[in-house]
Amino acid sequence: MELQGKAWKYGDDIDTDVIIPARYLNTSDPQELAKHCLEDLDPQFKEKMTAGDLIVAGDNFGCGSSREHAPLAIKAAGVSCVIANSFARIFYRNALNIGLPILECPSAVIDISEGDEIKVDIDSGLIFNLSTEKKYQAVPFPDFMQELIQSGGLINYVRKQVKE
Amino acid sequence: MAMTMVEKILADHAGRDEVSPGEIVTASLDLVLGNDITTPVAIEEFKKIGVEQVFDSAKIALVPDHFTPNKDINSAQQSKLLRDFAQEQQLENYFEIGEMGIEHCLLPEQGLVHPGEIIIGADSHTCTYGAFGALATGVGSTDMAAAMATGEAWFKVPETMKFVFNGELAPWVSGKDLILYLIGDIGVDGALYRALELGGEAVSNLSMAGRMTMSNMAIEAGAKCGLIAPDEKTREYLAGRSEVDYKEYLSDPAAEYYEVKEYQVEDIEPQVAYPHLPENTRGISEVEDIPIDQAVIGSCTNGRLEDLRVAAQILEGQKRAPGVRLLVFPGTQNIYQQAIDEGIIATLIEAGAAVSTPTCGPCLGGHMGVLAAGERAIATTNRNFVGRMGHPESEVYLSNPAVAAASALAGKIVSPEEVL
Ligand code: SF4
């Protein structure tokens, strides 16, 4: 699967409270959540971005709460992929489970500037910076997680298992 | 092969003789937890799986604690989903308002967590039960849904970091300060993807409440879980609360650790974490003049009886500073009742505190104490991210209950020594 869009760049330790503040958690409707995606970090984010764009961030993206509303908000806002140096573990799990593509790739993060046009091949983990014509290889997912991703997330995976 | 506690627990629950860090295993679960924010999504996902019944109606706990007693119509709808699901599935551990508490204070009190178990909860502070020597970790709603259907979850076996706290605590220093100190030392991603093992004389000397405070904040160092070896205190706490047979696991002396670190606790003073990360810690003697608008005592970190006792000890016979709002949230109905019986609540109210029924309320900026722009709070909670307690331009400082109570009296962040 190939994804392409513009990069929006943020720093380290972007927590789930700024990704989707608790004041909006009285609903789990993805479209409602999407309206407030990253609101406390970058209030203009929703207006500036267009569907397909990527978030590029530093260490420990998604730290804090276990709220799945965070990757849901990002996905429903139309963000195609998050590239970071590292992800907080619950966010990592949640993103895989709900089918939000994420990649760990410090060499790409350090090079990519805000606004660069990025293309990602999710299956191979290859990241192309079309603005600078550079190419990066993300950390590959272990086999089990590949299987999860190919099943289309955890629920589909479990549904298959339950049937067997 | 020599193994750590976490490795042994995972091996046993995966039906294996041994496991090593990095492996992915499927393990059976002893308890699955959810709250009023995360469970509605889990119920929706559960219904897609195609099973009628949850794997075990005794092994799922639902606690409506975040936006309850419901703060608005939407949250009332969310809570109703939990209530209906609990009824439909005949869940034994659904806790209604009036008997509920903040989940991580409530489940141990109800005798629902034991050494050696694997517990997952759709709440990041599920790691609290590490204080019992359980592998307890936070997950999202989809993991909770799959777990409710199958009674299993996948885990990557984590490496373990061991922290040994030697020596005796100085006055007004508590489990909260030890864990804040640790987070200040290694950072909010210092234990990313890894397990913590917390031990040493100072940890052994803590009560179960103090130990739960420490394990509670393992997630604030990025850890998957934070275990403390079970001992006589653990057994005593569980006696009378639970009839369940459990198995205690201890790390082998030759077990391999990612890192072993020792601290001498005499060197640790009460800690304050500055906005906007729990790692921004300093000793109380290094805190400058920081006026506060609100002091919050409670939460799954510090809402237990001994926390309220310490607060009352400091507030006794004194009055909060003019203009400071002092909010106290007992962790459970039992804690609330005991605090009334001991006269703690009367002392707090005489000192000018507003005391609430158990709720997460202000801890996550939900209700019952949301901050306005430019306002500043000191709180015994566990997170001080941007906007955590309300307006994105408000600030949260984290501390232990003694410092929070003293600060309420002084109107600025101070050491308990300064108000006694
Ligand atoms: S008290 Fe705060 S940290 Fe604890 S479960 Fe509630 S919202 Fe989460």
Side-chain angles (χ1 to χ4, degrees), chain B residues 9 113-117 132-134 230 234-235 238 246-249:
Chain B
I9 295 171
V113 307
H114 309 90
E117 293 185 334
F132 291 80
T234 322
R235 281 165 230 139
L238 287 168
Y246 54 83
K247 185 169 167 192
E248 295 176 13
Y249 296 82

Side-chain angles (χ1 to χ4, degrees), chain B residues 18-58:
Chain B
E18 53 184 52
V19 297
S20 318
E23 275 184 85
I24 292 178
V25 297
T26 299
S28 62
L29 302 170
D30 299 292
L31 189 68
V32 179
L33 162 71
N35 61 46
D36 53 314
I37 290 185
T38 55
T39 311
V41 182
I43 295 171
E44 209 177 299
E45 295 302 310
F46 175 82
K47 301 217 153 129
K48 294 181 192 160
I49 294 175
V51 297
E52 294 295 315
Q53 288 288 314
V54 298
F55 80 106
D56 187 337
S57 58

Side-chain angles (χ1 to χ4, degrees), chain B residues 66 102-104 123 125 299-300 360 363-364 382 388:
Chain B
H66 277 59
I102 299 172
E103 50 199 317
H104 311 306
D123 188 280
H125 291 102
S299 85
C300 62
C360 291
C363 173
L364 80 161
N382 47 40
R388 174 67 182 183

Side-chain angles (χ1 to χ4, degrees), chain B residues 134-147:
Chain B
L135 197 182
T137 191
V139 296
S141 301
T142 300
D143 271 312
M144 179 187 176

